[in-house]
Coordinates of all heavy atoms in Angstrom, one line a residue:
M1 N 93.6 -8.6 -87.6 CA 93.7 -8.9 -89.0 C 92.4 -9.5 -89.6 O 91.9 -10.4 -88.9 CB 94.9 -9.8 -89.4 CG 95.0 -9.9 -90.8 SD 96.6 -10.7 -91.3 CE 96.2 -12.5 -91.2
V3 N 90.6 -11.5 -92.6 CA 91.0 -12.3 -93.8 C 89.5 -13.0 -94.3 O 88.8 -13.5 -93.5 CB 91.9 -13.5 -93.4 CG1 92.1 -14.3 -94.7 CG2 93.2 -13.0 -92.8
G5 N 87.1 -15.4 -95.9 CA 86.9 -16.8 -96.1 C 87.7 -17.6 -95.1 O 88.0 -18.8 -95.2
G9 N 89.5 -19.1 -84.5 CA 89.1 -19.5 -83.1 C 90.3 -19.2 -82.1 O 91.3 -18.6 -82.5
K13 N 95.1 -23.3 -75.1 CA 96.4 -23.5 -74.3 C 97.2 -22.2 -74.2 O 97.7 -21.8 -73.3 CB 97.2 -24.6 -74.8 CG 96.6 -25.9 -74.6 CD 97.6 -27.1 -75.1 CE 97.0 -28.4 -74.7 NZ 97.9 -29.5 -75.1
G15 N 96.1 -19.0 -75.7 CA 95.3 -17.9 -75.8 C 95.5 -17.1 -77.1 O 94.9 -16.0 -77.3
I18 N 93.8 -18.5 -83.9 CA 94.2 -19.5 -84.9 C 93.1 -19.3 -86.0 O 92.0 -19.2 -85.8 CB 94.2 -21.0 -84.5 CG1 94.6 -21.8 -85.6 CG2 92.9 -21.4 -83.9 CD1 94.8 -23.2 -85.2
C19 N 93.6 -19.1 -87.3 CA 92.7 -18.9 -88.4 C 93.1 -20.0 -89.4 O 94.2 -20.3 -89.7 CB 93.0 -17.5 -89.1 SG 92.4 -16.2 -88.1
L20 N 92.0 -20.6 -89.9 CA 92.2 -21.6 -91.0 C 91.7 -21.1 -92.3 O 90.6 -20.7 -92.4 CB 91.4 -22.9 -90.6 CG 91.8 -23.5 -89.4 CD1 90.9 -24.6 -88.9 CD2 93.3 -23.9 -89.3
P32 N 82.5 -35.8 -97.9 CA 83.4 -34.7 -98.1 C 84.4 -34.5 -97.1 O 84.2 -34.8 -95.9 CB 82.4 -33.5 -98.2 CG 81.1 -34.0 -97.7 CD 81.0 -35.4 -97.6
V33 N 85.6 -34.0 -97.4 CA 86.7 -33.7 -96.6 C 87.2 -32.4 -96.9 O 87.5 -32.1 -98.0 CB 87.8 -34.8 -96.7 CG1 89.0 -34.5 -95.8 CG2 87.3 -36.2 -96.5
T35 N 90.4 -29.7 -95.8 CA 91.6 -29.7 -95.2 C 92.1 -28.4 -95.2 O 92.2 -27.6 -96.2 CB 92.7 -30.7 -95.8 OG1 92.1 -32.0 -95.9 CG2 94.0 -30.6 -95.1
Y43 N 94.6 -29.6 -90.4 CA 93.3 -29.7 -89.8 C 92.3 -30.3 -90.8 O 92.1 -29.6 -91.9 CB 92.8 -28.4 -89.3 CG 93.8 -27.8 -88.2 CD1 94.9 -27.1 -88.6 CD2 93.5 -28.0 -86.9 CE1 95.8 -26.6 -87.6 CE2 94.4 -27.5 -86.0 CZ 95.5 -26.8 -86.3 OH 96.4 -26.3 -85.4
V45 N 88.4 -31.8 -91.7 CA 87.1 -32.1 -91.2 C 86.4 -32.8 -92.2 O 86.4 -32.6 -93.3 CB 86.4 -30.6 -91.0 CG1 84.9 -30.8 -90.6 CG2 87.2 -29.8 -90.0
S46 N 85.7 -33.9 -91.6 CA 84.9 -34.7 -92.7 C 83.6 -35.3 -91.9 O 83.4 -35.1 -90.9 CB 85.7 -35.9 -93.0 OG 86.1 -36.7 -92.0
W47 N 82.7 -35.6 -92.8 CA 81.4 -36.2 -92.3 C 80.8 -37.1 -93.5 O 81.4 -37.0 -94.6 CB 80.5 -35.1 -92.0 CG 80.0 -34.2 -93.1 CD1 78.9 -34.4 -93.9 CD2 80.6 -33.0 -93.6 NE1 78.8 -33.3 -94.8 CE2 79.9 -32.5 -94.6 CE3 81.8 -32.4 -93.2 CZ2 80.3 -31.3 -95.4 CZ3 82.2 -31.2 -93.9 CH2 81.5 -30.7 -94.9
Q48 N 79.8 -37.8 -93.1 CA 79.1 -38.6 -94.1 C 77.7 -38.0 -94.4 O 77.1 -37.5 -93.5 CB 78.9 -40.1 -93.7 CG 80.2 -40.8 -93.6 CD 80.0 -42.3 -93.2 OE1 79.0 -42.8 -93.3 NE2 81.0 -42.8 -92.6
L54 N 77.3 -36.3 -87.4 CA 78.5 -36.8 -86.9 C 79.8 -36.1 -87.8 O 79.7 -36.3 -89.0 CB 78.6 -38.3 -87.0 CG 77.5 -39.1 -86.3 CD1 77.7 -40.6 -86.6 CD2 77.8 -38.8 -84.8
R56 N 83.9 -35.5 -88.0 CA 85.3 -35.9 -87.5 C 86.3 -34.8 -87.7 O 86.3 -34.2 -88.9 CB 85.7 -37.2 -88.3 CG 87.0 -37.7 -87.9 CD 87.4 -39.0 -88.5 NE 86.4 -39.9 -88.3 CZ 86.3 -40.7 -87.1 NH1 87.1 -40.4 -86.0 NH2 85.4 -41.6 -87.0
E58 N 90.3 -34.3 -87.6 CA 91.7 -34.8 -87.4 C 92.7 -33.7 -87.4 O 92.6 -32.7 -88.3 CB 92.0 -35.8 -88.5 CG 91.1 -36.9 -88.5 CD 91.3 -37.8 -89.8 OE1 90.8 -37.3 -90.9 OE2 92.0 -38.8 -89.9
V59 N 93.7 -33.7 -86.6 CA 94.9 -32.8 -86.6 C 96.1 -33.6 -86.8 O 96.3 -34.6 -86.1 CB 94.9 -32.0 -85.3 CG1 96.2 -31.0 -85.3 CG2 93.7 -31.3 -85.0
P62 N 103.4 -31.8 -88.2 CA 104.2 -31.7 -89.3 C 105.0 -32.9 -89.8 O 105.3 -33.1 -91.0 CB 105.3 -30.6 -89.0 CG 104.5 -29.8 -88.0 CD 103.6 -30.8 -87.2
N69 N 92.1 -37.4 -83.4 CA 91.1 -38.0 -84.3 C 89.9 -38.0 -83.4 O 89.7 -39.0 -82.8 CB 91.6 -39.3 -84.8 CG 90.5 -39.9 -85.8 OD1 89.6 -39.4 -86.0 ND2 90.9 -41.1 -86.2
S74 N 76.9 -33.0 -83.6 CA 76.3 -31.7 -83.6 C 74.9 -31.7 -83.0 O 74.2 -32.7 -83.2 CB 76.3 -31.0 -85.0 OG 75.5 -31.8 -85.9
E75 N 74.5 -30.7 -82.3 CA 73.2 -30.6 -81.8 C 72.5 -29.4 -82.5 O 73.2 -28.4 -82.7 CB 73.2 -30.4 -80.3 CG 73.8 -31.6 -79.5 CD 73.9 -31.3 -78.0 OE1 72.9 -30.5 -77.5 OE2 74.7 -31.7 -77.3
T85 N 85.2 -16.5 -83.8 CA 84.9 -15.3 -84.5 C 85.4 -15.5 -86.0 O 86.3 -16.3 -86.3 CB 85.6 -14.1 -83.9 OG1 87.1 -14.3 -83.9 CG2 85.2 -13.8 -82.6

Side-chain angles (χ1 to χ4, degrees):
M1 178 168 89
V3 180
K13 288 185 179 181
I18 181 174
C19 291
L20 302 174
V33 178
T35 304
Y43 297 81
V45 175
S46 61
W47 64 91
Q48 294 183 23
L54 298 177
R56 180 170 305 281
E58 297 172 280
V59 180
N69 184 359
S74 66
E75 296 179 33
T85 58

